[in-house]
């Protein structure tokens, strides 16, 4: 949904947009576009990949399911189909996003990589320069810019001594699909978050021999406690209890279900799981079966890596273990600092500053969706509030009255 005018400017084509420019066609960008469509506000949406939700379509493992119940993961204004299970699969979630795209007639401009976004003080307009596959550049000009490119734009692989000399296979979790290629092999998984845990489980089920690096303390919670989502229990308790008490109750219930994890080399942080998520944005691991494999010894817990050797790895405790492959489940980073030339809203890690509220706008018509480390539910809440703010400003400038949200 767009309303644009085009002019030539040297070798770069310029395009004026009568509405916001949205960067990113993942869940955050789609949610924003859906909400703006409901408000009757025109926009364009720029996506560097050739499809929507490229992280989900191209960089996730096959067995992935949503870790939270579907009601906490749906985008605004369109719930999941009734026949979807409580925890939709990767395939079902992608189908839902495509359904969302079609429902709101969202038409992203694919293969447009943002090179820079700057605010022109003289014209009081945003200038977003993109490069297309053929090398052509376009500069989009608008009163508003919505950054929705996501927290997981770029893979992160830490530097290790000797990694370049390692003769086995090296990959990031984004390249992993199933454990079939690793059958019978000794695999080191670096990282013990949800992805690292689940990949280790998948490797076990494909007759691999996984070891998982655990450098720091980690909260492991059951996905469900007595048939109810652990996350849902925590959210319900937070409506009426202080955060410290919620964490105390959830950890006690976790102990009843999972028992102690410290004897397995999995120490818990001092802060509780919900406090840690709120303060530092760290997500607890929701166990879907990996913990039982750790208890049985099928998944081995190892300390931090000191260095890699030609066909082995040395840990900080001096132990040297032969390995065939290493998979880095070390997460992602945002790339917003690579191209945004206005940085009042982001810290040096590319996340919204703590002082910023969900969906809060910056100066000069800058808005952000999905950078508060609150998952899909946070993206949806951001999108609703941003759409309301953009709509109000758009109405003031154009004189069109189209507000539909309360």
């Amino acid at each position: 949904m767009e309303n644009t005018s085009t002019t030539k400017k040297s070798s770069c084509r310029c395009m004026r947009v009568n509405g916001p420019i949205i960067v990113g066609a993942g869940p955050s960008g789609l949610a924003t576009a859906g909400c703006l469509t409901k408000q009757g506000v025109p926009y364009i949406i720029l996506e560097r990949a050739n499809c929507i939700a490229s992280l989900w379509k191209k960089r996730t493992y096959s067995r992935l399911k949503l870790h939270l119940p579907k009601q906490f993961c749906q985008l605004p204004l369109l719930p999941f189909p009734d026949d979807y299970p409580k925890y939709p699969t990767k395939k079902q979630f992608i189908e839902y996003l495509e359904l969302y795209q079609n429902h709101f007639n969202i038409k992203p401009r694919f293969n447009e990589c943002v090179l820079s976004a700057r605010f022109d003080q003289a014209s009081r307009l945003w200038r977003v320069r993109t490069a297309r596959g053929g090398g052509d550049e376009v500069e989009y000009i608008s009163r508003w810019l919505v950054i929705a490119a996501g927290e997981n734009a770029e893979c992160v692989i830490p530097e290790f001594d000797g990694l370049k000399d390692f003769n086995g296979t090296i990959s990031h979790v984004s390249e992993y699909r199933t454990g079939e290629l690793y059958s019978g092999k000794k695999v080191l998984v670096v990282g013990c978050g949800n992805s690292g845990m689940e990949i280790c489980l998948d490797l076990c089920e494909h007759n691999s021999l996984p070891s998982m690096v655990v450098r720091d303390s980690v909260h492991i919670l059951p996905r469900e406690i007595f048939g109810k989502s652990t996350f849902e229990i925590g959210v319900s308790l937070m409506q009426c209890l202080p955060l410290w008490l919620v964490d105390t109750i959830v950890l006690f219930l976790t102990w009843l279900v999972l028992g102690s994890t410290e004897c397995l080399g999995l120490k818990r942080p001092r802060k509780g799981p919900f406090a840690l998520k709120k303060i530092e944005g760290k997500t607890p691991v929701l166990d879907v079966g990996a913990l039982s494999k750790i208890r049985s010894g099928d998944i081995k817990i190892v300390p931090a890596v000191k260095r890699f050797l030609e066909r082995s790895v040395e840990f900080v405790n001096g132990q040297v273990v032969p390995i065939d492959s290493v998979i880095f489940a070390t997460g992602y980073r945002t790339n917003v600092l690579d191209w945004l030339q206005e940085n009042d809203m982001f810290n040096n890690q590319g996340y919204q500053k703590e002082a910023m509220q969900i969906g809060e706008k910056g100066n000069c018509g800058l808005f952000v969706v999905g950078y508060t480390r609150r998952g899909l539910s946070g993206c949806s809440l951001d999108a609703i509030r941003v759409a309301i703010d953009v709509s109000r400003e758009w109405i003031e400038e154009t004189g069109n009255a189209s507000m539909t949200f309360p």
Side-chain angles (χ1 to χ4, degrees):
M1 183 178 181
E2 61 188 80
N3 185 356
T4 60
S5 60
T6 306
T7 61
K8 277 280 186 177
K9 181 181 178 181
S10 65
S11 61
C12 178
R13 190 160 60 96
C14 295
M15 183 173 291
R16 178 65 188 268
V17 182
N18 181 28
I21 299 168
I22 304 170
V23 179
S28 295
L30 294 176
T32 305
C35 291
L36 288 172
T37 299
K38 185 69 173 179
Q39 299 279 34
V41 177
Y43 61 86
I44 64 166
I45 180 167
L46 306 175
E47 169 56 50
R48 66 177 180 174
N50 63 356
C51 61
I52 65 166
S54 61
L55 174 68
W56 282 88
K57 288 187 175 183
K58 298 182 177 183
R59 294 189 287 164
T60 51
Y61 45 95
S62 299
R63 67 174 294 141
L64 178 63
K65 293 183 179 180
L66 294 181
H67 291 109
L68 302 182
K70 60 183 179 181
Q71 66 266 30
F72 295 105
C73 301
Q74 63 193 24
L75 303 189
L77 307 171
L78 187 68
F80 280 99
D82 291 338
D83 60 347
Y84 272 34
K86 186 175 183 180
Y87 301 97
T89 65
K90 166 187 171 177
K91 180 176 182 292
Q92 289 171 324
F93 185 62
I94 291 171
E95 289 173 350
Y96 166 72
L97 294 179
E98 291 173 342
L99 177 67
Y100 194 92
Q101 177 190 9
N102 294 331
H103 180 81
F104 290 104
N105 195 30
I106 300 169
K107 298 178 179 178
R109 292 172 176 256
F110 294 120
N111 300 308
E112 296 234 19
C113 181
V114 174
L115 302 176
S116 66
R118 65 181 181 88
F119 185 72
D120 187 334
Q121 293 288 350
S123 63
R124 306 295 295 173
L125 295 171
W126 281 98
R127 294 180 175 270
V128 179
R129 185 176 288 249
T130 70
R132 292 179 173 174
D136 296 334
E137 291 189 6
V138 181
E139 186 174 66
Y140 296 93
I141 302 170
S142 174
R143 172 71 179 81
W144 305 277
L145 173 63
V146 180
I147 300 175
E151 300 170 329
N152 302 318
E154 306 292 342
C155 303
V156 173
I157 296 182
E159 294 183 2
F160 287 99
D161 289 341
L163 185 58
K164 293 180 180 179
D165 300 322
F166 178 63
N167 284 338
T169 59
I170 301 171
S171 61
H172 187 267
V173 65
S174 61
E175 303 169 76
Y176 184 93
R177 297 298 175 266
T178 75
E180 291 178 3
L181 297 176
Y182 300 92
S183 180
K185 295 183 178 180
K186 298 175 181 177
V187 184
L188 181 71
V189 177
V190 181
C192 59
N194 280 295
S195 294
M197 287 277 190
E198 198 159 354
I199 282 175
C200 283
L201 176 61
D202 192 62
L203 287 167
C204 284
E205 293 176 356
H206 286 88
N207 301 313
S208 304
L209 303 169
S211 298
M212 183 170 62
V213 173
V214 180
R215 294 176 52 210
D216 304 312
S217 54
V218 58
H219 276 301
I220 300 179
L221 308 177
R223 185 168 68 173
E224 293 189 342
I225 296 176
F226 306 132
K228 189 162 186 177
S229 160
T230 303
F231 178 80
E232 189 174 359
I233 291 172
V235 169
S236 299
L237 291 174
M238 282 190 286
Q239 304 302 315
C240 55
L241 297 175
L243 197 56
W244 69 267
L245 185 53
V246 173
D247 277 331
T248 300
I249 293 171
V250 168
L251 287 176
F252 174 70
L253 294 174
T254 294
W255 178 79
L256 290 178
V257 176
L258 299 181
S260 173
T261 60
E262 297 213 2
C263 60
L264 303 173
L266 301 167
K267 294 183 179 180
R268 293 194 179 277
R270 290 188 176 183
K271 293 189 180 90
F274 286 92
L276 202 61
K277 178 64 176 175
K278 181 177 181 180
I279 296 169
E280 300 182 23
K282 293 184 178 180
T283 303
V285 173
L286 296 176
D287 180 53
V288 293
L291 195 60
S292 66
K293 296 293 185 180
I294 294 173
R295 290 189 189 279
S296 67
D298 293 317
I299 299 174
K300 299 189 182 304
I301 301 298
V302 295
V305 172
K306 180 179 180 181
R307 60 173 176 158
F308 286 92
L309 304 172
E310 190 172 316
R311 298 294 300 182
S312 60
V313 60
E314 181 180 355
F315 302 112
V316 291
N317 62 1
Q319 183 184 14
V320 177
V321 174
I323 56 171
D324 301 304
S325 303
V326 56
I327 300 171
F328 286 97
T330 43
Y332 301 84
R333 67 170 179 87
T334 73
N335 66 4
V336 64
L337 300 182
D338 298 341
W339 48 267
L340 180 65
Q341 297 181 18
E342 300 288 331
N343 191 26
D344 292 337
M345 295 186 73
F346 293 91
N347 60 25
N348 57 11
Q349 295 178 316
Y351 295 103
Q352 268 186 273
K353 292 179 179 177
E354 291 182 10
M356 294 291 179
Q357 301 298 314
I358 297 177
E360 185 171 340
K361 63 181 179 180
N363 297 324
C364 314
L366 175 63
F367 297 84
V368 177
V369 175
Y371 286 84
T372 54
R373 294 184 283 191
R374 295 173 185 250
L376 290 167
S377 60
C379 293
S380 294
L381 187 55
D382 283 0
I384 292 170
R385 294 184 179 181
V386 164
I388 290 172
D389 286 341
V390 171
S391 296
R392 285 172 179 157
E393 294 187 12
W394 185 78
I395 289 168
E396 289 174 3
E397 293 212 1
T398 65
N400 292 311
S402 62
M403 293 289 288
T404 58
F405 284 115

